[in-house]
Amino acid sequence: RLGDEIHHLSEVHMNKRGDMIIVKENYDGPEVFLVNKADGNIIQRFGKVSQVKYLSARKMAYPVISPDGQKIAFVRLKEGPVSSTFQFTVSFEGIVVYDRNGNLLAELTGYSQPEWLNDGRLLCAGLGSAQYNFNKYPGITDKYGIYLFDASLTKAKRIDNGRADAHNPSVSPDNKMIAFTSYDKERQADALFVANIDGSNLKMISYAFPSEK
């Protein structure tokens, strides 16, 4: 049981079936656990991936479990230099996918913000940014936009119609539509977009206050 060795719980995610995973913070780094929803007992431990001291660098974050309970995706982080602009102490590395037995299924370098579809496809965002030099800042890569991986997690299709700085993807319960945010140059403001799951019929439905010039 987690309470026998716990220091701090930092994240939790439950799918529609009720399968639950959590991130537990240790003094020497985080771990991910698959947990029995009925009694809180550990079903599977996704072993320590961090050997660094507590708070020096988190190594995993944002775990999500697939609708069928068989796959777990989380974002892997790595230590990075402190940026005077962003004050980063860690940087994103990409998405890692395991099965519930702890076997590595895929390493999707350069992607973040994973969200499962009902059929096993994976929606995510690239770690790129049109506003910042990815060679200069840790955690920023040359992958831009919103992507949809097939169920084999080997092929990705960009589905944001080329929107710059598209992030924060979310899929509708019926898996037919997506929503995401992106910077709108015309309004000089962050905006909210919706589209079909294949990226067609893209519409901006709202936007934030424009930035000051």
Side-chain angles (χ1 to χ4, degrees):
R1 184 183 293 269
L2 288 170
D4 298 335
E5 53 180 313
I6 189 171
H7 291 301
H8 176 62
L9 291 178
S10 61
E11 297 173 56
V12 62
H13 177 262
M14 182 182 290
N15 66 7
K16 294 178 181 178
R17 293 195 335 167
D19 299 300
M20 186 185 303
I21 52 176
I22 66 155
V23 173
K24 180 178 75 71
E25 289 284 0
N26 296 311
Y27 290 123
D28 58 351
E31 294 180 80
V32 170
F33 294 88
L34 180 64
V35 178
N36 188 317
K37 64 182 178 181
D39 56 18
N41 285 328
I42 297 170
I43 299 173
Q44 175 65 36
R45 176 197 300 257
F46 296 86
K48 289 186 178 136
V49 294
S50 172
Q51 299 302 321
V52 297
K53 292 182 179 179
Y54 183 65
L55 291 182
S56 65
R58 295 189 57 189
K59 292 290 185 178
M60 56 177 69
Y62 316 119
V64 287
I65 189 165
S66 61
D68 63 4
Q70 298 304 306
K71 297 177 183 178
I72 296 173
F74 60 84
V75 178
R76 185 166 60 193
L77 311 180
K78 62 181 178 180
E79 267 188 296
V82 176
S83 162
S84 60
T85 303
F86 294 100
Q87 296 298 310
F88 281 161
T89 56
V90 297
S91 58
F92 293 98
E93 192 170 43
I95 296 170
V96 182
V97 182
Y98 285 88
D99 66 19
R100 64 185 296 143
N101 295 317
N103 300 308
L104 179 65
L105 300 178
E107 294 182 87
L108 311 178
T109 303
Y111 299 93
S112 185
Q113 300 175 330
E115 184 168 351
W116 290 105
L117 274 67
N118 295 333
D119 58 6
R121 290 180 292 172
L122 188 67
L123 182 68
C124 59
L127 288 171
S129 173
Q131 299 184 59
Y132 305 108
N133 185 333
F134 65 88
N135 289 317
K136 184 176 181 181
Y137 299 113
I140 293 178
T141 74
D142 59 345
K143 289 187 174 73
Y144 300 85
I146 308 301
Y147 294 82
L148 184 62
F149 276 87
D150 63 9
S152 70
L153 303 176
T154 59
K155 296 179 181 179
K157 177 184 177 182
R158 188 171 175 181
I159 56 172
D160 59 22
N161 267 327
R163 296 293 314 181
D165 289 317
H167 295 289
N168 307 309
S170 184
V171 64
S172 62
D174 62 5
N175 288 187
K176 293 182 178 180
M177 296 186 67
I178 59 168
F180 62 88
T181 60
S182 177
Y183 184 76
D184 185 72
K185 292 183 178 179
E186 180 180 349
R187 293 173 175 80
Q188 297 187 19
D190 291 324
L192 177 63
F193 291 82
V194 294
N196 294 333
I197 191 64
D198 62 358
S200 63
N201 198 27
L202 179 69
K203 298 178 182 178
M204 183 177 67
I205 61 173
S206 188
Y207 59 92
F209 289 109
S211 304
E212 293 183 4
K213 295 184 179 180

